[in-house]
Amino acid sequence: MVDEVYVRYREDSKLLAAIGEHVDAQVGRVTVRLPRVVAEAAVDAWERDESGDLGEETHEQYALRDRAGDLALIGLVISERGRWEGEEVVIDLDVVSAGAAVRASL
């Protein structure tokens, strides 16, 4: 019974990926404005050197590191292509990074 459920979940995952392909083709990037303080913190996250072995992680630790990586990638985009307009930065953010930020806010 449990195996059957995971077979269905695997199929659901494939369907979600198919939807994602269509969304990406239609949206791709979104233009967003971020306040200076948030943008500068994201750039700082990109510029950190966090090399080294962390060892075995719990699921929660992995998820936190994954989110920190998403933040750092947004910082990279800001540092490479951000346009500063007063106290905000304007960036064209790929839909994957935008989605990661929205999921983190929920």
Side-chain angles (χ1 to χ4, degrees), residues 33-74:
R33 293 179 166 275
L34 299 174
R36 178 175 293 276
V37 67
V38 172
E40 288 175 345
V43 171
D44 289 346
W46 168 250
E47 293 175 345
R48 279 194 305 255
D49 180 14
E50 294 186 347
S51 57
D53 185 19
L54 296 175
E56 204 167 315
E57 295 177 305
T58 66
H59 178 71
E60 181 181 354
Q61 289 170 326
Y62 172 83
L64 288 172
R65 184 171 54 81
D66 191 50
R67 284 184 172 184
D70 289 333
L71 173 65
L73 291 175
I74 292 171

Side-chain angles (χ1 to χ4, degrees), residues 2-105:
V2 171
D3 289 339
E4 293 172 12
V5 170
Y6 283 98
V7 168
R8 189 171 59 246
Y9 289 166
R10 184 171 287 109
E11 292 303 312
D12 289 349
S13 178
K14 290 177 185 177
L15 179 58
L16 182 61
I19 292 169
E21 290 174 12
H22 291 282
V23 171
D24 187 52
Q26 295 174 48
V27 178
R29 295 189 181 276
V30 293
T31 301
V32 298
R33 293 179 166 275
L34 299 174
R36 178 175 293 276
V37 67
V38 172
E40 288 175 345
V43 171
D44 289 346
W46 168 250
E47 293 175 345
R48 279 194 305 255
D49 180 14
E50 294 186 347
S51 57
D53 185 19
L54 296 175
E56 204 167 315
E57 295 177 305
T58 66
H59 178 71
E60 181 181 354
Q61 289 170 326
Y62 172 83
L64 288 172
R65 184 171 54 81
D66 191 50
R67 284 184 172 184
D70 289 333
L71 173 65
L73 291 175
I74 292 171
L76 170 63
V77 172
I78 293 167
S79 66
E80 288 185 344
R81 300 188 305 264
R83 297 182 319 272
W84 290 98
E85 296 180 3
E87 288 300 307
E88 292 182 320
V89 66
V90 179
I91 54 172
D92 292 328
L93 198 58
D94 68 74
V95 71
V96 173
S97 294
V102 170
R103 277 192 312 280
S105 74

